[in-house]
PDB file of all heavy atoms in Angstrom:
ATOM      1  N   ARG A 116      36.828 -25.001   9.863  1.00  0.00           N
ATOM      2  CA  ARG A 116      37.430 -23.695  10.125  1.00  0.00           C
ATOM      3  C   ARG A 116      36.440 -22.580   9.816  1.00  0.00           C
ATOM      4  O   ARG A 116      35.892 -22.513   8.724  1.00  0.00           O
ATOM      5  CB  ARG A 116      38.695 -23.505   9.272  1.00  0.00           C
ATOM      6  CG  ARG A 116      39.839 -24.419   9.630  1.00  0.00           C
ATOM      7  CD  ARG A 116      41.024 -24.191   8.715  1.00  0.00           C
ATOM      8  NE  ARG A 116      40.737 -24.630   7.347  1.00  0.00           N
ATOM      9  CZ  ARG A 116      41.560 -24.465   6.331  1.00  0.00           C
ATOM     10  NH1 ARG A 116      42.703 -23.824   6.517  1.00  0.00           N
ATOM     11  NH2 ARG A 116      41.246 -24.910   5.137  1.00  0.00           N
ATOM     12  N   ASP A 117      36.218 -21.703  10.791  1.00  0.00           N
ATOM     13  CA  ASP A 117      35.372 -20.536  10.573  1.00  0.00           C
ATOM     14  C   ASP A 117      36.151 -19.467   9.810  1.00  0.00           C
ATOM     15  O   ASP A 117      37.367 -19.340   9.949  1.00  0.00           O
ATOM     16  CB  ASP A 117      34.901 -19.957  11.905  1.00  0.00           C
ATOM     17  CG  ASP A 117      33.946 -20.883  12.629  1.00  0.00           C
ATOM     18  OD1 ASP A 117      33.496 -21.861  12.008  1.00  0.00           O
ATOM     19  OD2 ASP A 117      33.674 -20.628  13.808  1.00  0.00           O
ATOM     20  N   ILE A 118      35.432 -18.690   8.999  1.00  0.00           N
ATOM     21  CA  ILE A 118      36.009 -17.573   8.274  1.00  0.00           C
ATOM     22  C   ILE A 118      35.395 -16.295   8.817  1.00  0.00           C
ATOM     23  O   ILE A 118      34.166 -16.197   8.933  1.00  0.00           O
ATOM     24  CB  ILE A 118      35.739 -17.668   6.761  1.00  0.00           C
ATOM     25  CG1 ILE A 118      36.322 -18.960   6.194  1.00  0.00           C
ATOM     26  CG2 ILE A 118      36.320 -16.461   6.029  1.00  0.00           C
ATOM     27  CD1 ILE A 118      35.957 -19.191   4.743  1.00  0.00           C
ATOM     28  N   SER A 119      36.229 -15.320   9.146  1.00  0.00           N
ATOM     29  CA  SER A 119      35.701 -14.032   9.596  1.00  0.00           C
ATOM     30  C   SER A 119      36.398 -12.908   8.856  1.00  0.00           C
ATOM     31  O   SER A 119      37.592 -12.983   8.551  1.00  0.00           O
ATOM     32  CB  SER A 119      35.880 -13.860  11.114  1.00  0.00           C
ATOM     33  OG  SER A 119      37.238 -13.759  11.452  1.00  0.00           O
ATOM     34  N   VAL A 120      35.626 -11.858   8.551  1.00  0.00           N
ATOM     35  CA  VAL A 120      36.141 -10.669   7.880  1.00  0.00           C
ATOM     36  C   VAL A 120      35.676  -9.457   8.666  1.00  0.00           C
ATOM     37  O   VAL A 120      34.481  -9.334   8.970  1.00  0.00           O
ATOM     38  CB  VAL A 120      35.639 -10.569   6.418  1.00  0.00           C
ATOM     39  CG1 VAL A 120      36.226  -9.333   5.749  1.00  0.00           C
ATOM     40  CG2 VAL A 120      35.997 -11.814   5.631  1.00  0.00           C
ATOM     41  N   SER A 121      36.598  -8.572   9.013  1.00  0.00           N
ATOM     42  CA  SER A 121      36.211  -7.348   9.722  1.00  0.00           C
ATOM     43  C   SER A 121      37.120  -6.214   9.288  1.00  0.00           C
ATOM     44  O   SER A 121      38.298  -6.406   9.002  1.00  0.00           O
ATOM     45  CB  SER A 121      36.302  -7.543  11.239  1.00  0.00           C
ATOM     46  OG  SER A 121      37.629  -7.813  11.633  1.00  0.00           O
ATOM     47  N   GLY A 122      36.557  -5.018   9.217  1.00  0.00           N
ATOM     48  CA  GLY A 122      37.336  -3.855   8.823  1.00  0.00           C
ATOM     49  C   GLY A 122      36.602  -2.971   7.846  1.00  0.00           C
ATOM     50  O   GLY A 122      35.427  -3.204   7.526  1.00  0.00           O
ATOM     51  N   THR A 123      37.303  -1.951   7.345  1.00  0.00           N
ATOM     52  CA  THR A 123      36.709  -0.962   6.453  1.00  0.00           C
ATOM     53  C   THR A 123      37.628  -0.731   5.264  1.00  0.00           C
ATOM     54  O   THR A 123      38.850  -0.661   5.418  1.00  0.00           O
ATOM     55  CB  THR A 123      36.487   0.370   7.183  1.00  0.00           C
ATOM     56  OG1 THR A 123      35.616   0.159   8.291  1.00  0.00           O
ATOM     57  CG2 THR A 123      35.876   1.408   6.258  1.00  0.00           C
ATOM     58  N   ALA A 124      37.028  -0.627   4.079  1.00  0.00           N
ATOM     59  CA  ALA A 124      37.786  -0.341   2.862  1.00  0.00           C
ATOM     60  C   ALA A 124      37.034   0.685   2.037  1.00  0.00           C
ATOM     61  O   ALA A 124      35.808   0.618   1.905  1.00  0.00           O
ATOM     62  CB  ALA A 124      38.006  -1.618   2.046  1.00  0.00           C
ATOM     63  N   ASP A 125      37.767   1.669   1.472  1.00  0.00           N
ATOM     64  CA  ASP A 125      37.196   2.693   0.590  1.00  0.00           C
ATOM     65  C   ASP A 125      37.615   2.418  -0.846  1.00  0.00           C
ATOM     66  O   ASP A 125      38.746   1.986  -1.104  1.00  0.00           O
ATOM     67  CB  ASP A 125      37.695   4.096   0.966  1.00  0.00           C
ATOM     68  CG  ASP A 125      37.236   4.514   2.345  1.00  0.00           C
ATOM     69  OD1 ASP A 125      36.151   4.098   2.748  1.00  0.00           O
ATOM     70  OD2 ASP A 125      37.978   5.249   3.016  1.00  0.00           O
ATOM     71  N   TYR A 126      36.715   2.718  -1.774  1.00  0.00           N
ATOM     72  CA  TYR A 126      37.044   2.622  -3.192  1.00  0.00           C
ATOM     73  C   TYR A 126      36.592   3.908  -3.869  1.00  0.00           C
ATOM     74  O   TYR A 126      35.396   4.188  -3.971  1.00  0.00           O
ATOM     75  CB  TYR A 126      36.351   1.415  -3.830  1.00  0.00           C
ATOM     76  CG  TYR A 126      36.774   1.163  -5.261  1.00  0.00           C
ATOM     77  CD1 TYR A 126      37.989   0.552  -5.555  1.00  0.00           C
ATOM     78  CD2 TYR A 126      35.951   1.535  -6.324  1.00  0.00           C
ATOM     79  CE1 TYR A 126      38.376   0.315  -6.859  1.00  0.00           C
ATOM     80  CE2 TYR A 126      36.324   1.317  -7.629  1.00  0.00           C
ATOM     81  CZ  TYR A 126      37.545   0.694  -7.895  1.00  0.00           C
ATOM     82  OH  TYR A 126      37.917   0.469  -9.192  1.00  0.00           O
ATOM     83  N   VAL A 127      37.577   4.726  -4.287  1.00  0.00           N
ATOM     84  CA  VAL A 127      37.290   6.026  -4.888  1.00  0.00           C
ATOM     85  C   VAL A 127      38.158   6.193  -6.126  1.00  0.00           C
ATOM     86  O   VAL A 127      39.383   6.051  -6.058  1.00  0.00           O
ATOM     87  CB  VAL A 127      37.592   7.184  -3.906  1.00  0.00           C
ATOM     88  CG1 VAL A 127      37.185   8.517  -4.527  1.00  0.00           C
ATOM     89  CG2 VAL A 127      36.904   6.974  -2.580  1.00  0.00           C
ATOM     90  N   ASN A 128      37.531   6.485  -7.248  1.00  0.00           N
ATOM     91  CA  ASN A 128      38.268   6.747  -8.493  1.00  0.00           C
ATOM     92  C   ASN A 128      39.317   5.663  -8.776  1.00  0.00           C
ATOM     93  O   ASN A 128      40.482   5.942  -9.031  1.00  0.00           O
ATOM     94  CB  ASN A 128      38.944   8.124  -8.437  1.00  0.00           C
ATOM     95  CG  ASN A 128      37.939   9.261  -8.352  1.00  0.00           C
ATOM     96  OD1 ASN A 128      36.838   9.166  -8.896  1.00  0.00           O
ATOM     97  ND2 ASN A 128      38.310  10.324  -7.659  1.00  0.00           N
ATOM     98  N   GLU A 129      38.895   4.422  -8.667  1.00  0.00           N
ATOM     99  CA  GLU A 129      39.734   3.258  -8.955  1.00  0.00           C
ATOM    100  C   GLU A 129      40.880   3.082  -7.964  1.00  0.00           C
ATOM    101  O   GLU A 129      41.858   2.387  -8.252  1.00  0.00           O
ATOM    102  CB  GLU A 129      40.296   3.309 -10.390  1.00  0.00           C
ATOM    103  CG  GLU A 129      39.221   3.320 -11.465  1.00  0.00           C
ATOM    104  CD  GLU A 129      39.804   3.230 -12.854  1.00  0.00           C
ATOM    105  OE1 GLU A 129      40.303   2.155 -13.228  1.00  0.00           O
ATOM    106  OE2 GLU A 129      39.775   4.263 -13.552  1.00  0.00           O
ATOM    107  N   LEU A 130      40.775   3.712  -6.783  1.00  0.00           N
ATOM    108  CA  LEU A 130      41.774   3.546  -5.730  1.00  0.00           C
ATOM    109  C   LEU A 130      41.126   2.846  -4.538  1.00  0.00           C
ATOM    110  O   LEU A 130      40.186   3.368  -3.939  1.00  0.00           O
ATOM    111  CB  LEU A 130      42.334   4.897  -5.292  1.00  0.00           C
ATOM    112  CG  LEU A 130      43.347   4.842  -4.141  1.00  0.00           C
ATOM    113  CD1 LEU A 130      44.632   4.148  -4.580  1.00  0.00           C
ATOM    114  CD2 LEU A 130      43.642   6.249  -3.617  1.00  0.00           C
ATOM    115  N   LEU A 131      41.631   1.647  -4.215  1.00  0.00           N
ATOM    116  CA  LEU A 131      41.187   0.924  -3.028  1.00  0.00           C
ATOM    117  C   LEU A 131      42.071   1.338  -1.863  1.00  0.00           C
ATOM    118  O   LEU A 131      43.290   1.152  -1.894  1.00  0.00           O
ATOM    119  CB  LEU A 131      41.289  -0.589  -3.259  1.00  0.00           C
ATOM    120  CG  LEU A 131      40.924  -1.479  -2.064  1.00  0.00           C
ATOM    121  CD1 LEU A 131      39.452  -1.310  -1.707  1.00  0.00           C
ATOM    122  CD2 LEU A 131      41.257  -2.928  -2.338  1.00  0.00           C
ATOM    123  N   ASN A 132      41.466   1.928  -0.842  1.00  0.00           N
ATOM    124  CA  ASN A 132      42.202   2.443   0.304  1.00  0.00           C
ATOM    125  C   ASN A 132      41.754   1.716   1.566  1.00  0.00           C
ATOM    126  O   ASN A 132      40.576   1.759   1.928  1.00  0.00           O
ATOM    127  CB  ASN A 132      41.962   3.951   0.446  1.00  0.00           C
ATOM    128  CG  ASN A 132      42.736   4.541   1.617  1.00  0.00           C
ATOM    129  OD1 ASN A 132      43.800   4.045   1.961  1.00  0.00           O
ATOM    130  ND2 ASN A 132      42.183   5.566   2.241  1.00  0.00           N
ATOM    131  N   ILE A 133      42.684   1.043   2.201  1.00  0.00           N
ATOM    132  CA  ILE A 133      42.403   0.350   3.461  1.00  0.00           C
ATOM    133  C   ILE A 133      43.156   1.106   4.543  1.00  0.00           C
ATOM    134  O   ILE A 133      44.307   0.793   4.864  1.00  0.00           O
ATOM    135  CB  ILE A 133      42.845  -1.128   3.404  1.00  0.00           C
ATOM    136  CG1 ILE A 133      42.259  -1.815   2.178  1.00  0.00           C
ATOM    137  CG2 ILE A 133      42.425  -1.862   4.672  1.00  0.00           C
ATOM    138  CD1 ILE A 133      42.799  -3.215   1.943  1.00  0.00           C
ATOM    139  N   GLU A 134      42.521   2.141   5.073  1.00  0.00           N
ATOM    140  CA  GLU A 134      43.185   3.011   6.062  1.00  0.00           C
ATOM    141  C   GLU A 134      43.174   2.365   7.434  1.00  0.00           C
ATOM    142  O   GLU A 134      44.172   2.379   8.149  1.00  0.00           O
ATOM    143  CB  GLU A 134      42.505   4.377   6.097  1.00  0.00           C
ATOM    144  CG  GLU A 134      43.244   5.391   6.951  1.00  0.00           C
ATOM    145  CD  GLU A 134      42.675   6.788   6.789  1.00  0.00           C
ATOM    146  OE1 GLU A 134      41.970   7.046   5.780  1.00  0.00           O
ATOM    147  OE2 GLU A 134      42.951   7.628   7.649  1.00  0.00           O
ATOM    148  N   GLU A 135      42.039   1.799   7.807  1.00  0.00           N
ATOM    149  CA  GLU A 135      41.940   1.050   9.059  1.00  0.00           C
ATOM    150  C   GLU A 135      42.186  -0.431   8.748  1.00  0.00           C
ATOM    151  O   GLU A 135      41.813  -0.922   7.685  1.00  0.00           O
ATOM    152  CB  GLU A 135      40.556   1.235   9.691  1.00  0.00           C
ATOM    153  CG  GLU A 135      40.235   2.670  10.056  1.00  0.00           C
ATOM    154  CD  GLU A 135      41.160   3.201  11.139  1.00  0.00           C
ATOM    155  OE1 GLU A 135      41.605   2.390  11.979  1.00  0.00           O
ATOM    156  OE2 GLU A 135      41.436   4.410  11.142  1.00  0.00           O
ATOM    157  N   PRO A 136      42.834  -1.177   9.637  1.00  0.00           N
ATOM    158  CA  PRO A 136      43.180  -2.569   9.337  1.00  0.00           C
ATOM    159  C   PRO A 136      41.962  -3.396   8.938  1.00  0.00           C
ATOM    160  O   PRO A 136      40.907  -3.350   9.576  1.00  0.00           O
ATOM    161  CB  PRO A 136      43.777  -3.069  10.653  1.00  0.00           C
ATOM    162  CG  PRO A 136      44.314  -1.840  11.316  1.00  0.00           C
ATOM    163  CD  PRO A 136      43.349  -0.749  10.950  1.00  0.00           C
ATOM    164  N   LEU A 137      42.134  -4.160   7.846  1.00  0.00           N
ATOM    165  CA  LEU A 137      41.131  -5.107   7.375  1.00  0.00           C
ATOM    166  C   LEU A 137      41.639  -6.500   7.722  1.00  0.00           C
ATOM    167  O   LEU A 137      42.721  -6.901   7.286  1.00  0.00           O
ATOM    168  CB  LEU A 137      40.936  -4.975   5.868  1.00  0.00           C
ATOM    169  CG  LEU A 137      39.928  -5.928   5.210  1.00  0.00           C
ATOM    170  CD1 LEU A 137      38.518  -5.652   5.721  1.00  0.00           C
ATOM    171  CD2 LEU A 137      39.984  -5.793   3.696  1.00  0.00           C
ATOM    172  N   GLU A 138      40.880  -7.245   8.509  1.00  0.00           N
ATOM    173  CA  GLU A 138      41.334  -8.526   9.020  1.00  0.00           C
ATOM    174  C   GLU A 138      40.526  -9.675   8.417  1.00  0.00           C
ATOM    175  O   GLU A 138      39.298  -9.655   8.420  1.00  0.00           O
ATOM    176  CB  GLU A 138      41.233  -8.573  10.544  1.00  0.00           C
ATOM    177  CG  GLU A 138      41.703  -9.885  11.159  1.00  0.00           C
ATOM    178  CD  GLU A 138      41.694  -9.868  12.673  1.00  0.00           C
ATOM    179  OE1 GLU A 138      41.852  -8.760  13.247  1.00  0.00           O
ATOM    180  OE2 GLU A 138      41.545 -10.943  13.285  1.00  0.00           O
ATOM    181  N   LEU A 139      41.247 -10.674   7.902  1.00  0.00           N
ATOM    182  CA  LEU A 139      40.645 -11.897   7.383  1.00  0.00           C
ATOM    183  C   LEU A 139      41.209 -13.063   8.171  1.00  0.00           C
ATOM    184  O   LEU A 139      42.428 -13.246   8.252  1.00  0.00           O
ATOM    185  CB  LEU A 139      40.958 -12.067   5.896  1.00  0.00           C
ATOM    186  CG  LEU A 139      40.608 -13.426   5.276  1.00  0.00           C
ATOM    187  CD1 LEU A 139      39.103 -13.659   5.309  1.00  0.00           C
ATOM    188  CD2 LEU A 139      41.141 -13.539   3.861  1.00  0.00           C
ATOM    189  N   SER A 140      40.324 -13.883   8.741  1.00  0.00           N
ATOM    190  CA  SER A 140      40.744 -15.056   9.502  1.00  0.00           C
ATOM    191  C   SER A 140      40.068 -16.296   8.942  1.00  0.00           C
ATOM    192  O   SER A 140      38.875 -16.276   8.631  1.00  0.00           O
ATOM    193  CB  SER A 140      40.390 -14.912  10.987  1.00  0.00           C
ATOM    194  OG  SER A 140      41.054 -13.806  11.558  1.00  0.00           O
ATOM    195  N   ILE A 141      40.866 -17.361   8.796  1.00  0.00           N
ATOM    196  CA  ILE A 141      40.337 -18.676   8.416  1.00  0.00           C
ATOM    197  C   ILE A 141      40.878 -19.667   9.429  1.00  0.00           C
ATOM    198  O   ILE A 141      42.065 -19.997   9.417  1.00  0.00           O
ATOM    199  CB  ILE A 141      40.753 -19.077   6.991  1.00  0.00           C
ATOM    200  CG1 ILE A 141      40.292 -18.043   5.976  1.00  0.00           C
ATOM    201  CG2 ILE A 141      40.181 -20.444   6.643  1.00  0.00           C
ATOM    202  CD1 ILE A 141      40.743 -18.348   4.560  1.00  0.00           C
ATOM    203  N   GLY A 142      40.009 -20.146  10.323  1.00  0.00           N
ATOM    204  CA  GLY A 142      40.486 -20.993  11.398  1.00  0.00           C
ATOM    205  C   GLY A 142      41.491 -20.231  12.251  1.00  0.00           C
ATOM    206  O   GLY A 142      41.242 -19.122  12.705  1.00  0.00           O
ATOM    207  N   ASN A 143      42.686 -20.831  12.447  1.00  0.00           N
ATOM    208  CA  ASN A 143      43.715 -20.150  13.231  1.00  0.00           C
ATOM    209  C   ASN A 143      44.676 -19.346  12.355  1.00  0.00           C
ATOM    210  O   ASN A 143      45.722 -18.902  12.828  1.00  0.00           O
ATOM    211  CB  ASN A 143      44.499 -21.164  14.079  1.00  0.00           C
ATOM    212  CG  ASN A 143      45.242 -22.181  13.224  1.00  0.00           C
ATOM    213  OD1 ASN A 143      45.055 -22.238  12.009  1.00  0.00           O
ATOM    214  ND2 ASN A 143      46.061 -22.992  13.856  1.00  0.00           N
ATOM    215  N   SER A 144      44.339 -19.171  11.076  1.00  0.00           N
ATOM    216  CA  SER A 144      45.141 -18.343  10.173  1.00  0.00           C
ATOM    217  C   SER A 144      44.543 -16.935  10.105  1.00  0.00           C
ATOM    218  O   SER A 144      43.326 -16.783  10.052  1.00  0.00           O
ATOM    219  CB  SER A 144      45.174 -18.946   8.766  1.00  0.00           C
ATOM    220  OG  SER A 144      45.774 -20.228   8.784  1.00  0.00           O
ATOM    221  N   ARG A 145      45.440 -15.923  10.071  1.00  0.00           N
ATOM    222  CA  ARG A 145      44.948 -14.547  10.076  1.00  0.00           C
ATOM    223  C   ARG A 145      45.828 -13.670   9.200  1.00  0.00           C
ATOM    224  O   ARG A 145      47.048 -13.818   9.166  1.00  0.00           O
ATOM    225  CB  ARG A 145      44.944 -13.995  11.503  1.00  0.00           C
ATOM    226  CG  ARG A 145      44.357 -12.593  11.621  1.00  0.00           C
ATOM    227  CD  ARG A 145      44.466 -12.092  13.028  1.00  0.00           C
ATOM    228  NE  ARG A 145      45.867 -11.946  13.431  1.00  0.00           N
ATOM    229  CZ  ARG A 145      46.255 -11.391  14.592  1.00  0.00           C
ATOM    230  NH1 ARG A 145      45.343 -10.987  15.461  1.00  0.00           N
ATOM    231  NH2 ARG A 145      47.531 -11.283  14.877  1.00  0.00           N
TER     232      ARG A 145
END
Side-chain angles (χ1 to χ4, degrees):
R116 293 178 292 175
D117 292 349
I118 301 174
S119 67
V120 181
S121 63
T123 300
D125 296 328
Y126 187 78
V127 184
N128 296 328
E129 299 186 71
L130 177 67
L131 177 65
N132 181 30
I133 308 172
E134 188 171 341
E135 298 295 329
L137 179 65
E138 180 176 332
L139 169 64
S140 298
I141 302 177
N143 62 351
S144 298
R145 184 183 64 173

